[in-house]
PDB file of all heavy atoms in Angstrom:
ATOM      1  N   VAL A  47       7.373  18.331  -3.168  1.00 31.00           N
ATOM      2  CA  VAL A  47       6.693  17.261  -2.339  1.00 31.00           C
ATOM      3  C   VAL A  47       7.798  16.410  -1.782  1.00 31.00           C
ATOM      4  O   VAL A  47       8.985  16.405  -2.278  1.00 31.00           O
ATOM      5  CB  VAL A  47       5.815  16.402  -3.205  1.00 31.00           C
ATOM      6  CG1 VAL A  47       4.441  17.102  -3.380  1.00 31.00           C
ATOM      7  CG2 VAL A  47       6.371  16.154  -4.558  1.00 31.00           C
ATOM      8  N   PRO A  48       7.561  15.706  -0.641  1.00 30.00           N
ATOM      9  CA  PRO A  48       8.622  14.946  -0.014  1.00 30.00           C
ATOM     10  C   PRO A  48       9.309  13.997  -1.015  1.00 30.00           C
ATOM     11  O   PRO A  48       8.601  13.431  -1.844  1.00 30.00           O
ATOM     12  CB  PRO A  48       7.934  14.216   1.155  1.00 30.00           C
ATOM     13  CG  PRO A  48       6.606  14.889   1.272  1.00 30.00           C
ATOM     14  CD  PRO A  48       6.292  15.512  -0.050  1.00 30.00           C
ATOM     15  N   VAL A  49      10.589  13.802  -0.822  1.00 27.00           N
ATOM     16  CA  VAL A  49      11.338  12.958  -1.788  1.00 27.00           C
ATOM     17  C   VAL A  49      10.692  11.558  -1.864  1.00 27.00           C
ATOM     18  O   VAL A  49      10.528  11.036  -2.969  1.00 27.00           O
ATOM     19  CB  VAL A  49      12.770  12.857  -1.289  1.00 27.00           C
ATOM     20  CG1 VAL A  49      13.575  11.896  -2.204  1.00 27.00           C
ATOM     21  CG2 VAL A  49      13.439  14.167  -1.277  1.00 27.00           C
ATOM     22  N   ASP A  50      10.309  10.982  -0.718  1.00 32.00           N
ATOM     23  CA  ASP A  50       9.766   9.645  -0.844  1.00 32.00           C
ATOM     24  C   ASP A  50       8.488   9.601  -1.585  1.00 32.00           C
ATOM     25  O   ASP A  50       8.080   8.562  -2.127  1.00 32.00           O
ATOM     26  CB  ASP A  50       9.638   9.023   0.536  1.00 32.00           C
ATOM     27  CG  ASP A  50       8.648   9.776   1.445  1.00 32.00           C
ATOM     28  OD1 ASP A  50       8.229  10.873   1.029  1.00 32.00           O
ATOM     29  OD2 ASP A  50       8.360   9.307   2.508  1.00 32.00           O
ATOM     30  N   ALA A  51       7.786  10.675  -1.695  1.00 32.00           N
ATOM     31  CA  ALA A  51       6.534  10.704  -2.440  1.00 32.00           C
ATOM     32  C   ALA A  51       6.785  10.781  -3.974  1.00 32.00           C
ATOM     33  O   ALA A  51       5.827  10.537  -4.746  1.00 32.00           O
ATOM     34  CB  ALA A  51       5.662  11.883  -2.053  1.00 32.00           C
ATOM     35  N   VAL A  52       7.956  11.148  -4.393  1.00 34.00           N
ATOM     36  CA  VAL A  52       8.148  11.242  -5.827  1.00 34.00           C
ATOM     37  C   VAL A  52       9.098  10.198  -6.393  1.00 34.00           C
ATOM     38  O   VAL A  52       9.414  10.121  -7.561  1.00 34.00           O
ATOM     39  CB  VAL A  52       8.655  12.624  -6.247  1.00 34.00           C
ATOM     40  CG1 VAL A  52       7.565  13.672  -6.047  1.00 34.00           C
ATOM     41  CG2 VAL A  52       9.951  13.028  -5.576  1.00 34.00           C
ATOM     42  N   GLN A  53       9.713   9.422  -5.528  1.00 40.00           N
ATOM     43  CA  GLN A  53      10.575   8.377  -5.990  1.00 40.00           C
ATOM     44  C   GLN A  53       9.830   7.153  -6.501  1.00 40.00           C
ATOM     45  O   GLN A  53       8.594   7.134  -6.504  1.00 40.00           O
ATOM     46  CB  GLN A  53      11.496   8.017  -4.853  1.00 40.00           C
ATOM     47  CG  GLN A  53      12.656   9.116  -4.820  1.00 40.00           C
ATOM     48  CD  GLN A  53      13.722   8.693  -3.812  1.00 40.00           C
ATOM     49  OE1 GLN A  53      13.511   7.858  -2.988  1.00 40.00           O
ATOM     50  NE2 GLN A  53      14.921   9.236  -4.020  1.00 40.00           N
ATOM     51  N   ALA A  54      10.550   6.249  -6.904  1.00 52.00           N
ATOM     52  CA  ALA A  54       9.978   5.064  -7.548  1.00 52.00           C
ATOM     53  C   ALA A  54       8.870   4.472  -6.717  1.00 52.00           C
ATOM     54  O   ALA A  54       8.865   4.406  -5.500  1.00 52.00           O
ATOM     55  CB  ALA A  54      11.029   4.014  -7.717  1.00 52.00           C
TER      56      ALA A  54
END
Side-chain angles (χ1 to χ4, degrees):
V47 277
V49 176
D50 59 354
V52 292
Q53 279 186 340

